[in-house]
Amino acid sequence: MPKPLTRAEIEKIFEAFSLHDPEPKGELDYVNVFTLLVAVVLSAQATDVGVNKATRALFAIADTPEKMVALGEDAIREHIKTIGLYRNKAKNVFLLSQMLIEKYDGQVPDTREALEALPGVGRKTANVVLNIGFGQPTIAVDTHLFRVGNRTGIAPGKTPLAVELALLKRVPKHYLLHAHHWLILHGRYVCKARKPECYRCIIAEWCRYPAKTAG
């Protein structure tokens, strides 16, 4: 495991990310906080591109919990059958929509505890919704972010939670809101799992990865 970066080096890294992409955005399509929540639930073990294809028609007819419940689990399943684990996900989307109506008047709650109590919602999903939907400075650690945190030395950790907590401590507060997106996008498109494209990496000079690749 590489030696952790210094605070000064981490500041430089996030300054570079900020200059390169001042307003990073997630790649899931949604029309409101409810459809964001559904999209993130559907994205587990699936690609954002695949989820967006499936939800385009679904969200056109069911963009509220009430409409989703009225649509019914069978119809939800038909809309998302191209996505992995679609049967279980359809059930969770139906049940979480019901729970939102019964407990929150059809509104998506803005606390991690309440979100994690919804069917199909774990810590990572809750963090994404809190960050994108409610503008809270949370970090959702997926495989990309876990890899970048460890490989670069920004936030080494043996578990996703360890990396998340390390990032919350180490990322400068003024960069925390967008840190989640910068790191995920960096892992997805530059710091790839099998062959990182170090030759075009904007943070290569501070990165601790010993096996940097040439162009």
Side-chain angles (χ1 to χ4, degrees):
M1 192 175 282
K3 178 184 169 189
L5 292 156
T6 66
R7 289 197 176 275
E9 288 170 325
I10 291 174
E11 176 77 35
K12 288 287 187 187
I13 283 172
F14 284 97
E15 182 184 9
F17 281 140
S18 179
L19 289 170
H20 178 71
D21 186 6
E23 294 288 332
K25 297 283 187 287
E27 296 183 317
L28 285 172
D29 294 336
Y30 62 97
V31 293
N32 53 31
V33 180
F34 170 69
T35 54
L36 169 66
L37 171 62
V38 172
V40 181
V41 167
L42 296 178
S43 72
Q45 297 178 10
T47 65
D48 289 358
V49 172
V51 172
N52 290 340
K53 280 182 183 174
T55 57
R56 199 166 293 128
L58 177 63
F59 292 162
I61 57 172
D63 60 356
T64 67
E66 293 80 6
K67 290 177 186 174
M68 198 67 79
V69 168
L71 189 62
E73 186 181 332
D74 290 348
I76 296 169
R77 191 165 57 241
E78 275 301 302
H79 274 91
I80 67 167
K81 64 185 179 183
T82 55
I83 301 173
L85 309 174
Y86 72 96
R87 292 180 188 280
N88 199 45
K89 288 176 180 178
K91 182 179 180 181
N92 284 333
V93 168
F94 181 77
L95 291 174
L96 74 82
S97 299
Q98 276 189 325
M99 193 179 288
L100 289 175
I101 295 165
E102 291 164 8
K103 289 191 72 173
Y104 302 104
D105 295 322
Q107 301 300 306
V108 177
D110 62 355
T111 68
R112 183 185 284 113
E113 184 182 30
L115 285 167
E116 285 190 38
L118 296 170
V121 178
R123 185 180 182 91
K124 185 175 77 173
T125 295
N127 280 340
V128 174
V129 173
L130 292 172
N131 183 272
I132 300 175
F134 296 104
Q136 295 184 24
T138 54
I139 305 274
V141 178
D142 69 352
T143 54
H144 299 299
L145 207 150
F146 184 76
R147 179 173 66 253
V148 173
N150 277 290
R151 186 183 269 171
T152 60
I154 294 172
K158 291 183 178 176
T159 65
L161 182 59
V163 171
E164 177 189 334
L165 297 178
L167 284 167
L168 289 171
K169 246 168 59 175
R170 294 168 64 77
V171 176
K173 282 196 166 42
H174 47 286
Y175 291 127
L176 205 49
L177 180 61
H178 292 319
H180 157 85
H181 281 123
W182 284 323
L183 294 169
I184 285 176
L185 293 171
H186 188 66
R188 188 173 286 169
Y189 296 111
V190 181
C191 196
K192 298 174 183 178
R194 290 187 182 173
K195 192 177 180 186
E197 298 178 4
C198 305
Y199 57 90
R200 66 183 192 92
C201 174
I202 61 172
I203 64 166
E205 65 185 281
W206 303 288
C207 174
R208 294 277 196 264
Y209 186 52
K212 290 193 174 75
T213 59

